[in-house]
Amino acid sequence: MWLDFDGDKSTLATMIQKDIVIATVIGLLLVAGAARAQELNVEQIVKQKVQPILPKTGEGGGVAVAVRMGGKTSFFNYGMASNAQRRPVTADSIFNLGSVGKVFATTLLAQGVKNGELSLDDPVAKYVTELQRGGDIRRVTLGQLGSHSSGLPDRPQQYETWHKGRYTWPDFVRFLNSWKAGPNHEPGQQYLYSDAAMVLLRVALERRFNTRFAALMHQRLTGPLGMTSTALPLPRDLLGRAVQGYSPMGKPIGRPGEEGGTFQWLGSGQIYSSSRDMATFLAANLGELPGHGPIENAMAFAHQGVFTVSPRLRIGLAWQIVSAGNFTIIDKNGGLNNTSTYIGFAPRQKLGVIILVNRGKQHATGIGRQILHALAQDQSEPSTEGESDPDND
């Protein structure tokens, strides 16, 4: 007995092709299902972790979150950009970044170093020539300004307790030239968070490149990255997307887009941005934006530890390098009385998160770190080092 398969070859081939197609479709459905399950899991993690800072009934404010995972970004939005206008928070709502904005100045500093245009060891007085008439300020370097190790106080009023009101540029120069280093305020010898130092760094960059800080940031950073919703001060065409800021209890404070703080001259205020723009900045810091190698190299340089605060906390150029167990997070936080902000990422796991809250004194840093640990499925307790709000302490 013999069998002739020749007549059935086409039928057999068709059956095999159908089986392959069915198997492929099933495989694709399983992959899509797994991806969808992962997406839902991320959403569940974010919603659970941000719950404590969501406004209660009758309180104003909301939260914008961006998560970077697997080379993709997801956005999650809660609450209101403006209660009075019934305007919900979206990925394009524009928030006051508070001290998160400091990493823009230090990224520009890192870029200048990588390009050979300046050095971390350059004295600030080399560029801000008014300070050549000063005393101890002449010993302060750009790297010390960028790593909070200059010895300068957080705000000038902590040194000039008699000064009333905000500081103009002449006021600030007077303070800097009269400032004297002392115990725990010695250039290069301690970590001392300083808003004054970072504002001075902006001026030094302006002088080195003969360009206003806002324009310099746009030319060298936000423009090339396509961050069209990031600026200081906020221009008229972006004001309509600015959130209303609220107190910790949910009461309106100030006007949308309004800058506050110690200093009173052009370019000394806070930077504004959206979670969508900051997600782009985050992706670049993770080295995941093709075609932007030089900027990403500068960012990687800014991540390197410059000053060691403790075995679990080092300071880069404005960035905090925080360790918990074997899990390392690089992050920066900020906030004022009407905003709370956080950017953080786990470089090894290629995970990142942005949290923008239009209410003051919210627990954005701790929540951001909890989200990163949860996404990485890391069981160690998130570090509390460097967690306190630098703008309100």
Side-chain angles (χ1 to χ4, degrees):
M1 180 178 177
W2 58 277
L3 297 174
D4 182 2
F5 285 100
D6 289 344
D8 293 327
K9 279 183 180 177
S10 60
T11 303
L12 184 60
T14 302
M15 290 173 64
I16 291 171
Q17 286 176 347
K18 284 182 179 178
D19 287 345
I20 290 172
V21 169
I22 291 170
T24 302
V25 169
I26 291 173
L28 290 172
L29 288 172
L30 288 173
V31 170
R36 179 62 181 159
Q38 186 183 52
E39 183 181 322
L40 287 173
N41 188 38
V42 172
E43 186 174 4
Q44 290 167 359
I45 288 170
V46 171
K47 189 172 184 178
Q48 178 194 6
K49 299 302 183 184
V50 303
Q51 201 65 41
I53 60 173
L54 297 183
K56 298 177 179 61
T57 303
E59 295 179 356
V63 184
V65 180
V67 170
R68 184 79 179 175
M69 185 177 185
K72 296 181 179 179
T73 302
S74 300
F75 298 94
F76 308 97
N77 302 291
Y78 311 89
M80 306 301 290
S82 170
N83 280 43
Q85 298 175 358
R86 303 307 301 165
R87 182 159 51 95
V89 167
T90 73
D92 296 305
S93 298
I94 295 176
F95 292 74
N96 185 326
L97 294 180
S99 276
V100 164
K102 287 179 171 57
V103 295
F104 288 90
T106 56
T107 300
L108 291 171
L109 171 62
Q111 191 180 57
V113 172
K114 295 293 285 185
N115 291 345
E117 296 162 315
L118 43 74
S119 167
L120 294 183
D121 294 327
D122 285 345
V124 64
K126 176 180 178 180
Y127 303 109
V128 187
T129 54
E130 296 95 319
L131 305 183
Q132 292 174 6
R133 301 190 301 270
D136 287 335
I137 192 62
R138 291 182 297 167
R139 297 194 281 128
V140 173
T141 68
L142 299 183
Q144 290 165 358
L145 294 178
S147 60
H148 294 296
S149 59
S150 67
L152 289 169
D154 187 13
R155 295 174 177 85
Q157 294 97 322
Q158 294 169 332
Y159 187 82
E160 295 183 340
T161 55
W162 48 266
H163 184 90
K164 304 300 180 186
R166 299 172 74 183
Y167 273 70
T168 63
W169 173 244
D171 291 332
F172 193 43
V173 170
R174 182 205 65 240
F175 152 69
L176 293 168
N177 281 336
S178 65
W179 173 74
K180 289 182 172 56
N184 302 319
H185 285 268
E186 192 64 31
Q189 298 302 308
Q190 71 289 292
Y191 168 69
L192 189 66
Y193 193 92
S194 177
D195 197 38
M198 288 291 180
V199 169
L200 179 56
L201 175 60
R202 287 188 186 182
V203 177
L205 291 168
E206 287 184 336
R207 298 294 180 83
R208 169 60 185 86
F209 296 106
N210 193 31
T211 305
R212 287 287 189 185
F213 181 77
L216 189 67
M217 184 176 76
H218 175 73
Q219 290 170 9
R220 290 186 158 228
L221 201 53
T222 58
L225 293 178
M227 297 172 62
T228 57
S229 300
T230 304
L232 86 153
L234 206 56
R236 188 181 300 274
D237 62 322
L238 295 181
L239 273 176
R241 288 197 276 129
V243 299
Q244 170 63 56
Y246 295 90
S247 73
M249 302 306 293
K251 305 298 182 185
I253 294 181
R255 300 187 307 276
E258 184 176 54
E259 293 181 315
T262 300
F263 306 100
Q264 193 172 19
W265 68 85
L266 190 64
S268 65
Q270 295 90 37
I271 297 169
Y272 278 77
S273 189
S274 66
S275 63
R276 193 181 304 279
D277 260 23
M278 290 303 292
T280 298
F281 187 73
L282 176 63
N285 273 278
L286 282 167
E288 295 184 334
L289 279 188
H292 294 288
I295 290 177
E296 292 179 339
N297 290 339
M299 289 173 164
F301 181 75
H303 302 159
Q304 296 175 19
V306 175
F307 194 89
T308 299
V309 180
S310 74
R312 296 291 187 181
L313 175 63
R314 291 176 298 141
I315 306 298
L317 295 179
W319 293 101
Q320 301 179 135
I321 303 112
V322 184
S323 300
N326 294 318
F327 192 59
T328 298
I329 291 172
I330 298 175
D331 64 13
K332 184 69 189 83
N333 52 359
L336 300 166
N337 60 356
N338 62 357
T339 189
S340 305
T341 56
Y342 177 79
I343 176 174
F345 54 95
R348 192 175 302 167
Q349 292 79 7
K350 294 291 186 180
L351 293 170
V353 65
I354 304 288
I355 301 178
L356 305 177
V357 190
N358 57 334
R359 285 203 301 161
K361 300 193 177 184
Q362 301 304 297
H363 193 48
T365 308
I367 288 170
R369 291 177 182 176
Q370 289 171 24
I371 290 172
L372 288 172
H373 276 256
L375 293 176
Q377 298 183 335
D378 184 88
Q379 301 303 312
S380 56
E381 189 70 23
S383 173
T384 59
E385 297 237 30
E387 186 177 321
S388 60
D389 183 350
D391 294 314
N392 285 319
D393 291 344

